[in-house]
Amino acid sequence: MLITHDTRCSLDAVVDLVNTVPEDDAAADGLPDVAALQDFVRNHDISGVGMLSEFDLSAVRKIRGRFAGIFAAADARIAAGMINELVAAAGTTPQLTDHDGYDWHVHYFAPGASVADHLAADCGMALAFFVVAGEQERLRRCEAPDCRRAFVDLSRNRSRRYCDSRTCGNRLHVAAYRARRKEAAG
């Protein structure tokens, strides 16, 4: 599956956005305030965003929950319906652009769109490409029992199971190894 630079940026943004959702009631929100949203926008080079407000924060948190639902969708039909609703509500207006040193790419948000509509349109379309390609199962959650972070499995054979093999994957492999050694010892 060909993934263009702008699609990859949108995938990275949507995964990071979904992963700001608190794991439970005791966990801190990854987007606690407008300053955190500004950092998110800056870290993801989200263009065309002006001054952010509490209204923007609230709107981004709402679409964040909807994106989390897409990663949890049981099948492509459910994911497609959720993506269609997000993208339609964002007032999608595809435009070719070549800004900030990037070659031609497509922005799906309307000029002057809010940051929430910007994310809903661009990230929604990035996820839509996976559904269209029959690759919706690549939108996953980490299989580590104590982690449910979202990720996009871009491995060739769709075999990635953990959000990060160096942390979650390695931790589980070490635990399994220790359990085998303990059982062998007796």
Side-chain angles (χ1 to χ4, degrees), residues 21-89:
V21 175
E23 291 289 323
D24 55 40
D25 292 336
D29 192 309
L31 283 178
D33 52 33
V34 174
L37 179 58
Q38 289 169 332
D39 288 343
F40 181 88
V41 166
R42 185 175 45 260
N43 292 338
H44 289 282
D45 292 325
I46 298 173
S47 62
V49 176
M51 291 296 297
L52 298 173
S53 67
E54 288 291 331
F55 177 82
D56 292 308
L57 179 62
S58 176
V60 168
R61 284 178 175 166
K62 284 180 187 171
I63 65 157
R64 170 182 75 174
R66 296 177 76 187
F67 278 126
I70 294 166
F71 277 83
D75 61 43
R77 184 164 305 285
I78 293 169
M82 296 170 91
I83 292 168
N84 284 341
E85 288 175 12
L86 262 171
V87 170

Side-chain angles (χ1 to χ4, degrees), residues 85-160:
E85 288 175 12
L86 262 171
V87 170
T92 308
T93 308
Q95 295 181 9
L96 284 169
T97 184
D98 67 339
H99 61 87
D100 299 329
Y102 295 108
D103 205 359
W104 289 105
H105 60 282
V106 179
H107 281 184
Y108 294 95
F109 57 92
S114 70
V115 66
D117 285 345
H118 179 135
L119 290 167
D122 274 1
C123 296
M125 289 305 299
L127 296 177
F129 296 141
F130 279 81
V131 174
V132 168
E135 302 283 352
Q136 183 259 336
E137 73 275 0
R138 289 182 181 269
L139 309 177
R140 297 193 174 165
R141 292 291 189 153
C142 184
E143 291 182 20
D146 59 343
C147 179
R148 297 299 299 151
R149 291 180 61 84
F151 68 94
V152 178
D153 179 3
L154 297 177
S155 68
R156 186 176 298 225
N157 62 359
R158 299 175 193 87
S159 62
R160 187 171 162 197

Side-chain angles (χ1 to χ4, degrees), residues 152-171:
V152 178
D153 179 3
L154 297 177
S155 68
R156 186 176 298 225
N157 62 359
R158 299 175 193 87
S159 62
R160 187 171 162 197
R161 298 174 49 207
Y162 307 110
C163 62
D164 187 341
S165 61
R166 290 182 309 263
T167 55
C168 290
N170 191 43
R171 186 177 66 249

